Amino acid sequence: MVNRKPRLLSSKDYLAWEREAILEIRSNWEEKKIARCESITYDFLFPDKRVRDLSNAVEGVNDALVLAGVLQDDKWQVTGNVNLTGQLANSKAEAGVLVTFKVAEYE
């Protein structure tokens, strides 16, 4: 509770994943911050056949993209059309997500 309002807390595993994701994104992003996209495509490669919710998966990725300074925000006015695909990776080492931007405007 914060100021008498409930607050969600992220798990230690999620926070560790987010820190690693931000570092990886920053080391691979050489462009300016994106102010507006025509579209973003998220191609998820999952490590196993466990049932997953793609919309929940993209939320964590978007949060990391914003915190890493790639996206100005993750509201629809910035992301534009969102395309999600998911499939089984050939190996656990291959698992992850490829994010492709069709940028309309940089900051």
Side-chain angles (χ1 to χ4, degrees):
M1 300 289 281
V2 175
N3 295 328
R4 296 184 183 212
K5 295 180 184 176
R7 181 174 174 199
L8 294 176
L9 299 176
S10 297
S11 72
K12 289 180 184 179
D13 288 342
Y14 176 81
L15 293 173
W17 171 86
E18 186 177 63
R19 278 191 301 275
E20 289 176 30
I22 291 167
L23 291 173
E24 185 173 345
I25 292 166
R26 285 181 177 162
S27 70
N28 290 299
W29 185 254
E30 298 176 359
E31 304 291 329
K32 297 177 184 176
K33 187 180 285 189
I34 297 172
R36 191 170 55 85
C37 291
E38 288 182 30
S39 65
I40 303 178
T41 300
Y42 303 83
D43 295 306
F44 288 92
L45 291 173
F46 294 111
D48 53 42
K49 292 182 180 181
R50 193 179 90 204
V51 175
R52 291 177 172 83
D53 185 326
L54 282 176
S55 62
N56 286 343
V58 80
E59 285 300 318
V61 174
N62 278 350
D63 290 344
L65 289 168
V66 171
L67 291 170
V70 173
L71 289 176
Q72 183 182 64
D73 199 326
D74 61 353
K75 60 188 177 185
W76 69 266
Q77 292 91 338
V78 174
T79 62
N81 293 323
V82 173
N83 305 297
L84 305 173
T85 64
Q87 60 184 326
L88 185 62
N90 293 323
S91 67
K92 287 189 178 190
E94 186 185 80
V97 61
L98 173 65
V99 182
T100 307
F101 303 98
K102 188 169 183 184
V103 178
E105 178 184 345
Y106 288 99
E107 230 179 39

